[in-house]
Amino acid sequence: MTQRQEPEHTPDGHHVVIRGRRWRATDPAVPEDAAGRLRSHLMAARSAVGAAKRAGDEAAERAARDRVHAAKVALGERGTPPWWEQSDTERGRRWKDGLRHLDA
């Protein structure tokens, strides 16, 4: 069994580097249990995007893409301002609001 390796991070910790490309890193202030739930929502939404595309269902694809976006914003991987420019209160509100929305 192969052990999952952590991706390389930029020196400031704001981005991960995957195959030479920088991507915004998950906000390290998101508690691991919440981050795990958000990643689960993200993976389910990504799977739903693929299923909707295969079915040719544009409305379902849009809804699934919206869920992908909501999960990534909650994780701090998208949105403005970036997580490192937000206060602790804003960061907490972001992931808690995201979970409330995605758990509904």
Side-chain angles (χ1 to χ4, degrees):
M1 181 180 254
T2 316
Q3 194 173 25
R4 184 175 165 213
Q5 289 185 318
E6 284 294 313
E8 175 189 352
H9 281 74
T10 57
D12 60 13
H14 297 168
H15 297 86
V16 294
V17 180
I18 300 172
R19 288 184 227 138
R21 187 165 177 190
R22 284 184 345 151
W23 300 90
R24 193 183 299 179
T26 297
D27 182 351
V30 179
E32 187 50 45
D33 62 322
R37 287 171 53 204
L38 289 165
R39 283 190 297 271
S40 180
H41 281 294
L42 176 61
M43 294 300 107
R46 284 180 170 165
S47 178
V49 168
K53 285 178 77 167
R54 286 188 297 278
D57 186 339
E58 292 179 15
E61 181 181 350
R62 178 74 267 148
R65 288 186 184 281
D66 289 345
R67 291 193 339 261
V68 167
H69 181 72
K72 291 187 79 61
V73 168
L75 286 163
E77 296 174 8
R78 287 187 186 161
T80 54
W83 57 259
W84 56 88
E85 293 178 4
Q86 294 177 330
S87 69
D88 290 344
T89 301
E90 291 169 319
R91 291 166 79 179
R93 186 178 321 119
R94 187 197 65 244
W95 67 261
K96 289 173 187 172
D97 287 350
L99 272 177
R100 270 192 292 279
H101 171 73
L102 291 163
D103 282 344

